[in-house]
């Protein structure tokens, strides 16, 4: 394998880590916005923007993985199909949790209720990211994938 090709493959692994960290930071910012502005109308608008951006980014990341990255991994590494199935189930669960958060924001639920939604999302998301990183980062360092980064990991 040429040095440039190896660097490109390792970049996929590094980029997945970077995407996960950006999503973690977006969730931290969303939670901080909620804590800092429990009674402020401007904070509520800010929270709506954070939630919308975060939910869109996280769902986009997972949809891109399901559509592009995971099929490529399954084709190259059939022994990982069960892992990929579990990750796709996580994506579905996280999507459901995000829908609940968005509905709660739309209803203008109290901050404690919104924090409960964010706490649940944070727990499932972190568990999912750690599992995905343990199981797939090494694979990404050897996977031949001729796709645009945004197509495979989402438009973050």
């Amino acid at each position: 394998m040429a040095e440039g090709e190896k660097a490109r493959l390792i970049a996929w692994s590094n980029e997945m880590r970077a995407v996960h960290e950006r999503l973690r930071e977006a969730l931290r910012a969303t939670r901080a916005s909620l804590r800092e502005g429990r009674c402020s109308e401007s904070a509520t608008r800010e929270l709506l923007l954070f939630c919308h951006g975060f939910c869109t980014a996280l769902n986009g990341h997972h949809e891109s993985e399901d559509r592009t990255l995971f099929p490529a991994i399954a084709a190259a590494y059939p022994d990982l199909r069960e892992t990929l199935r579990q990750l796709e189930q996580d994506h579905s669960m996280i999507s459901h949790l995000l829908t609940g958060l968005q509905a709660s924001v739309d209803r203008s639920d109290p901050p404690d209720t919104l924090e409960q939604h964010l706490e649940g999302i944070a727990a499932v998301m972190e568990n999912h990211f750690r599992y995905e990183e343990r199981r797939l980062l090494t694979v990404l360092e050897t996977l031949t994938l001729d796709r645009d980064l945004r197509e495979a990991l989402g438009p973050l």
Side-chain angles (χ1 to χ4, degrees), residues 78-119:
D79 56 313
L80 287 176
R81 288 178 192 220
E82 179 58 26
T83 295
L84 297 171
R85 188 188 66 71
Q86 289 174 4
L87 290 169
E88 288 172 345
Q89 284 181 330
D90 285 355
H91 291 172
S92 178
M93 180 184 347
I94 291 169
S95 179
H96 177 75
L97 293 171
L98 292 173
T99 298
L101 170 63
Q102 189 63 55
S104 188
V105 169
D106 292 345
R107 285 189 306 270
S108 299
D109 282 346
D112 290 344
T113 301
L114 296 172
E115 180 58 34
Q116 288 174 353
H117 283 285
L118 291 170
E119 188 174 319

Side-chain angles (χ1 to χ4, degrees), residues 19-27 54 57-58 61 125 129:
V19 166
H20 287 173
E21 189 50 41
R22 286 193 298 269
L23 287 166
R24 287 174 175 119
E25 181 55 37
L27 181 60
F54 170 71
L58 187 56
H61 170 61
M125 185 182 86
F129 285 173

